[in-house]
Amino acid sequence: MVEPDRRLGGYDPNAGYRAHAARPQRIAVPSLLRALLSEHLDPGYAAAAADRARSGTPRGGRARAIGWMWQALAATLVATVFAAAVAQARTVAPGVHAAQQVLAKNVRSTQAAATELTQRRRALSAEVDDMRRRTLADDATGQRLLNRLDALSLAAASTAVIGPGVTVTVTDPGAGPNLSDMSKQRVTGSQQIILDRDLQLVVNSLWASGAEAISVDGVRIGPNVTIRQAGGAILVDNNPTTSPYTVRAIGPPHLMRDAFDRSPGLHRLRLLEISYGVGVSVDIGDGLALPAGSIRDIKFAKEIGPP
């Protein structure tokens, strides 16, 4: 009689196995993580080193001499390159120093000339304004035109103004031991915390609080003035400024301070004060003096909105 398993095609699942060995066997596979942490040498290199050790063939004297010769040649070549670099640096150093001195002298002379021209321009602008006022103040039409010009000059920040207002002073913290690494990451490689966007937000908040004229570190803020970051420096109308940053705003002082206390600009400064130790002060003063801003020629203008 044919067995039941034979009826299914003659396959016996236990064929070739003894009764006690029919169970599957586990093959030990090493852990990949354990191998990465414990086996620091590639298996191929380890096998090559083992074969070389088993062969026991020592290097001959000639091979050792050739190896030492190549090492000495490499050391001589490296020393020659370094000696040539040092000699070239010593030869070029006087010329580089002289060029640096010339460039520094040119920069100082250019700055002095720019300062003198700026003062000259302000004096001429004051003379022109005085002559215009004397000419237009004789009749009613000229007086109305003069009032209109004053309003436009205030909006364009082209005339100096004096009046009551608010002074906001922002100070970067010193490079002390308590300065966190997170604060250092705001400007890579420096201890600067206040950035251009922080001053921009303060200026915009003062405008929204009712300011009529604003200056940042003595630079009048007008339609063509920008506050931007250039590396680790803040440029206000292309003039570098450093901490402490002083922002003066002329307007109704008490109303302006109350509105500025609820503004996003002061809220951001308070967060920086708590997080990084930035110094923030808001003061009311009388007789704040703001200089006139720079006047630039308009090359192109486009009307926006209905005429």
Side-chain angles (χ1 to χ4, degrees), residues 69-264:
M69 182 181 67
W70 280 110
Q71 292 177 4
L73 181 61
T76 305
L77 181 60
V78 171
T80 304
V81 171
F82 274 102
V86 171
Q88 184 179 5
R90 290 179 178 177
T91 303
V92 177
V96 173
H97 181 70
Q100 291 176 349
Q101 294 296 327
V102 172
L103 291 176
K105 183 178 179 180
N106 291 337
V107 169
R108 288 192 293 267
S109 62
T110 303
Q111 290 177 344
T115 303
E116 183 179 356
L117 290 176
T118 301
Q119 295 175 354
R120 176 68 173 166
R121 180 185 60 82
R122 290 177 179 176
L124 293 176
S125 298
E127 292 181 7
V128 171
D129 184 69
D130 185 60
M131 293 178 60
R132 181 173 55 195
R133 289 186 178 278
R134 290 199 305 266
T135 303
L136 296 178
D138 294 337
D139 55 3
T141 303
Q143 189 65 40
R144 289 195 299 269
L145 180 59
L146 187 61
N147 294 335
R148 177 61 175 168
L149 288 175
D150 290 339
L152 293 175
S153 298
L154 181 62
S158 59
T159 57
V161 292
I162 299 177
V166 173
T167 301
V168 180
T169 305
V170 184
T171 306
D172 267 324
N178 295 326
L179 193 62
S180 64
D181 292 337
M182 184 179 299
S183 64
K184 298 177 185 178
Q185 295 175 0
R186 287 175 64 86
V187 176
T188 305
S190 71
Q191 306 294 343
Q192 184 182 10
I193 305 300
I194 301 300
L195 303 180
D196 54 350
R197 57 179 176 265
D198 302 321
L199 294 182
Q200 292 171 5
L201 185 58
V202 171
V203 170
N204 291 333
S205 298
L206 288 173
W207 285 125
S209 300
E212 300 175 3
I214 298 177
S215 69
V216 177
D217 282 346
V219 179
R220 183 75 172 274
I221 303 299
N224 297 322
V225 175
T226 60
I227 302 175
R228 60 186 182 90
Q229 195 86 24
I234 296 179
L235 302 180
V236 182
D237 198 21
N238 292 327
N239 296 309
T241 180
T242 56
S243 175
Y245 308 99
T246 303
V247 183
R248 293 186 174 90
I250 290 181
H254 296 284
L255 295 178
M256 191 163 50
R257 186 184 62 178
D258 294 340
F260 184 69
D261 288 341
R262 302 186 299 270
S263 67

Side-chain angles (χ1 to χ4, degrees), residues 25-98:
Q25 298 180 357
R26 293 184 179 182
I27 301 176
V29 178
S31 172
L32 177 60
L33 182 59
R34 186 180 298 108
L36 291 175
L37 295 177
S38 60
E39 299 176 5
H40 304 288
L41 187 63
D42 187 85
Y45 288 104
D51 292 341
R52 187 164 56 251
R54 284 194 300 268
S55 62
T57 303
R59 297 181 61 186
R62 183 178 180 181
R64 289 196 298 270
I66 292 175
W68 292 340
M69 182 181 67
W70 280 110
Q71 292 177 4
L73 181 61
T76 305
L77 181 60
V78 171
T80 304
V81 171
F82 274 102
V86 171
Q88 184 179 5
R90 290 179 178 177
T91 303
V92 177
V96 173
H97 181 70

